[in-house]
Amino acid sequence: MMRVHAQPFPFELDLERAALLIIDMQRDFVEPGGFGESLGNQVEPLQSIVPTVKKVLEAWRLTEKLVVHTRESHLPDLSDCPEAKLLRGNPSLRIGDLGPMGRILIRDEPGNQIVPELTPLQHEVVIDKPGKGAFYGTALHEILKQNHIRQLVVMGVTTEVCVQSTLREANDRGFDCLLVEDATASYFPEFKAATLAMVTAQAAIVGWTCTSQVLIQAISS
Ligand code: C5J
C-alpha cells in the first residue's frame, strides 16, 4: 500500500490490485481537424493533457501493472448505436457520417485511433465501447475481475462525459477510483472543475482526485 496525497483525503493505492484506465484519448476528440473540432469545440484543452497522460502512462508501464485504453466507437453497420444516440440533436455530422478523419466514431477509422503519443502496447487492453461509460456493453468488468483489480487510476476525456460516466459505473461496481486532475480535460473547463468537485464531494462519494506529480512520485518510489 502507498499513500497518495489526494482529494478529499489520502488514497491508499494498492498497486497489486490497481489498473490504469485511459478514457477515449482518440484522434477525433483530441486532434485539430477531428470530429470534436468540427462540432465547434476548441480542442486545445484536450490536446494540452497529452504530455501529462503520456508521463503517467510511461511511469505506470514501469510498474508492469494492467493498462486499459478505451475508445468510444461503433460497429460499421451501427447495430450497436441506439437510435436515441444516432438521432440526438441537429449536428452537421452524425455518427457514421464521413468526417474529417473517416467515418465518425466508427471502429478502425483513422479518427477512432488513440493519439499516436499514447499508442497502446500490444499486451495492453483496448476496449471499444458503444456508450459513454466504459462498462456498458463491454467486457471491462470481466477483465478487471480476472486480473483481481479493485482500484482504478483514471485519465482521459472528456471529464464530465465519458470519464465521469465511467467513474460512476466503476464506483457502483465496487472499485475505488482515483482521477488524475491534470490528465483529464473537457471542452468546457467549468464542467471539468464541476466534475472534480462532484467526484470528491461528500467524502469521496464517487472517488478521489490527485495530481500527476504525486501519483508519479508514489508509483516510482
Ligand atoms: C463525448 C467522451 N464527449 N469521450 N465522449 O461524447 O467524453
Side-chain angles (χ1 to χ4, degrees):
M1 286 281 194
M2 51 189 76
R3 178 165 289 204
V4 179
H5 179 73
Q7 300 299 329
F9 51 85
F11 185 85
E12 302 292 341
L13 178 62
D14 178 3
L15 259 191
E16 293 308 313
R17 312 285 300 273
L20 183 67
L21 179 60
I22 309 176
I23 304 292
D24 297 2
M25 290 298 290
Q26 57 203 71
R27 295 183 63 208
D28 249 333
F29 292 138
V30 176
E31 289 190 0
F35 176 47
E37 193 175 74
S38 79
L39 293 175
N41 296 305
Q42 304 288 335
V43 295
E44 285 77 14
L46 276 62
Q47 268 196 296
S48 73
I49 66 164
V50 172
T52 307
V53 175
K54 185 170 186 224
K55 261 195 242 168
V56 175
L57 174 59
E58 283 172 352
W60 193 271
R61 279 174 174 160
L62 294 177
T63 71
E64 299 183 355
K65 303 300 175 198
L66 185 68
V67 178
V68 179
H69 305 256
T70 71
R71 300 183 288 213
E72 185 173 347
S73 72
H74 292 280
L75 295 168
D77 66 3
L78 297 177
S79 56
D80 60 352
C81 184
E83 232 179 42
K85 183 175 182 183
L86 188 62
L87 301 180
R88 184 78 48 84
N90 192 23
S92 54
L93 288 171
R94 291 191 187 276
I95 296 167
D97 287 351
L98 196 58
M101 294 186 193
R103 291 182 70 202
I104 303 293
L105 295 191
I106 298 298
R107 203 167 295 178
D108 295 332
E109 292 286 328
N112 205 229
Q113 305 306 312
I114 307 283
V115 295
E117 297 90 329
L118 308 174
T119 298
L121 299 181
Q122 194 138 34
H123 66 277
E124 293 175 351
V125 176
V126 179
I127 299 278
D128 285 301
K129 62 183 186 58
K132 304 304 185 198
F135 289 83
Y136 170 71
T138 74
L140 178 59
H141 199 183
E142 280 314 307
I143 292 167
L144 297 177
K145 282 198 278 193
Q146 280 161 14
N147 284 276
H148 310 290
I149 299 299
R150 283 216 55 254
Q151 300 182 336
L152 297 173
V153 174
V154 181
M155 310 193 285
V157 299
T158 59
T159 317
E160 79 282 10
V161 185
C162 291
V163 172
Q164 181 165 214
S165 293
T166 300
L167 289 171
R168 289 174 183 274
E169 286 183 328
N171 193 44
D172 284 346
R173 286 164 176 78
F175 295 92
D176 283 331
C177 296
L178 178 62
L179 174 61
V180 187
E181 295 158 17
D182 49 338
T184 182
S186 168
Y187 298 120
F188 310 95
E190 67 276 23
F191 290 173
K192 171 178 171 175
T195 302
L196 297 183
M198 280 189 263
V199 165
T200 57
Q202 302 178 71
I205 195 157
V206 177
W208 287 254
T209 68
C210 72
T211 65
S212 60
Q213 192 192 357
V214 299
L215 177 65
I216 291 171
Q217 218 162 31
I219 63 178
S220 308
S221 61

